[in-house]
Amino acid sequence: MSRHPVCGAVELTLAWHVVLLLFAKVLLPPLAPAWFPGLGAAVVNAICLAGVWWVLWRWGWLRVSGTTTFGRLRRWWLALPMLLIAGSYALAGLDGRTTVVVSSLVSLLWVGVDEEVYSRGLVQQTLTPLGPLRAAIGVAVLFGLGHVQNYLFFGAASDDTLWQMLSAALFGFTCAVLRFAIGSVWPMVVVHALDDFFQIRSPGAAPDWWQVSVYVFQAAYGWWLLRRYADRDRLPSRNAAGDDDRPPPRRPSNRRRPSGRRAPAPPTGCGPGQP
């Protein structure tokens, strides 16, 4: 993989989509049994998640990417506005019989976990050396562009795809800043899964004025979060953010330095995607 953050993030995004399409369109047969119509989506996303998880483990990024930590628990409330927006799509009710509704909830939970770990976890960690603003914008652009696959391979209409790309980009920007502020992808997993579930199972589309209001709010809220939290904190520690905002205390050392010699500098290493 390229050592430049942007090139690395693009390569990882393309690789994830190639694997997704390979399993969804080529390797796996259609999986939609009557007892679990969303089985295919769940299996494909579970496979992609396993691949992303392996890469994060191989590079030592599982914790620092916010994947195996709950981050700053007292900041989880920052995701509440996004959760309320997701819940607004359920006001009109849920469409479909019980089996379909439950199947959708389970499969879209897998989608939420997979896409958050790959986008706000792996891709965002690759872009982290660029700083919070440029990393969040990069995540938003790549996440939005990735939804063009719905038009190219899954039969979505071109105008619907363009709106979905814009919606995904703004959603991705806000979630990226939330990940910087909270230090974990898991609040966004819940928001992502429920947002997809309520929109897909809603009996009708939300009014245009509401959708535009959501877009404006997500852009403004993401910017406010960036200035209030991510910009103030800069970036989460490379050793992962804990529940406490304060850095851990340094342990006193009983070793004495030899006089007249400078202490050796600690070794440094650059993982893939880091400059």
Side-chain angles (χ1 to χ4, degrees):
M1 192 189 80
S2 172
R3 297 182 69 85
H4 191 281
V6 174
C7 295
V10 171
E11 292 170 7
L12 289 169
T13 300
L14 289 174
W16 183 86
H17 284 283
V18 167
V19 172
L20 180 77
L21 292 170
L22 189 63
F23 279 95
K25 291 292 188 179
V26 179
L27 297 181
L28 290 180
L31 299 175
W35 57 272
F36 191 1
L39 179 61
V43 170
V44 169
N45 279 276
I47 292 171
C48 291
L49 174 63
V52 173
W53 199 282
W54 181 85
V55 173
L56 289 169
W57 171 79
R58 184 68 179 82
W59 291 350
W61 283 2
L62 276 173
R63 186 169 177 82
V64 75
S65 66
T67 302
T68 57
T69 177
F70 291 126
R72 301 177 175 96
L73 293 176
R74 60 191 181 196
R75 290 189 182 180
W76 275 50
W77 69 270
L78 293 172
L80 183 59
M82 299 289 284
L83 188 62
L84 292 175
I85 290 174
S88 71
Y89 298 110
L91 294 178
L94 299 176
D95 186 34
R97 63 185 190 277
T98 303
T99 303
V100 173
V101 171
V102 174
S103 171
S104 295
L105 181 60
V106 174
S107 61
L108 290 171
L109 179 60
W110 278 106
V111 172
V113 176
D114 179 28
E115 293 191 354
E116 288 304 315
V117 172
Y118 119 76
S119 182
R120 262 62 74 181
L122 179 59
V123 172
Q124 184 162 330
Q125 188 60 32
T126 303
L127 293 170
T128 290
L130 300 178
L133 175 59
R134 286 185 290 181
I137 291 175
V139 168
V141 171
L142 291 174
F143 191 64
L145 289 175
H147 285 71
V148 74
Q149 70 175 7
N150 295 336
Y151 169 73
L152 296 176
F153 303 103
F154 295 101
S158 57
D159 54 342
D160 289 342
T161 301
L162 290 174
W163 280 110
Q164 190 177 29
M165 290 169 64
L166 174 62
S167 175
L170 291 169
F171 180 88
F173 174 75
T174 309
C175 286
V177 181
L178 280 168
R179 205 277 270 175
F180 278 140
I182 297 173
S184 174
V185 301
W186 293 104
M188 284 67 75
V189 166
V190 176
V191 169
H192 193 149
L194 291 180
D195 189 81
D196 284 352
F197 172 70
F198 289 139
Q199 290 204 54
I200 290 175
R201 297 266 48 101
S202 175
D208 290 343
W209 67 267
W210 177 248
Q211 288 294 95
V212 172
S213 300
V214 169
Y215 298 159
V216 173
F217 172 80
Q218 288 176 340
Y221 188 54
W223 179 254
W224 178 81
L225 286 169
L226 188 72
R227 299 297 299 273
R228 178 67 177 82
Y229 292 98
D231 190 54
R232 184 190 70 180
D233 296 343
R234 299 308 300 167
L235 294 176
S237 166
R238 292 275 180 184
N239 296 321
D243 293 343
D244 196 339
D245 293 343
R246 298 170 298 176
R250 299 182 62 182
R251 295 182 179 178
S253 175
N254 295 326
R255 298 177 59 186
R256 298 180 60 185
R257 294 182 184 176
S259 58
R261 296 180 59 189
R262 295 180 61 188
T268 60
C270 295
Q274 300 179 18

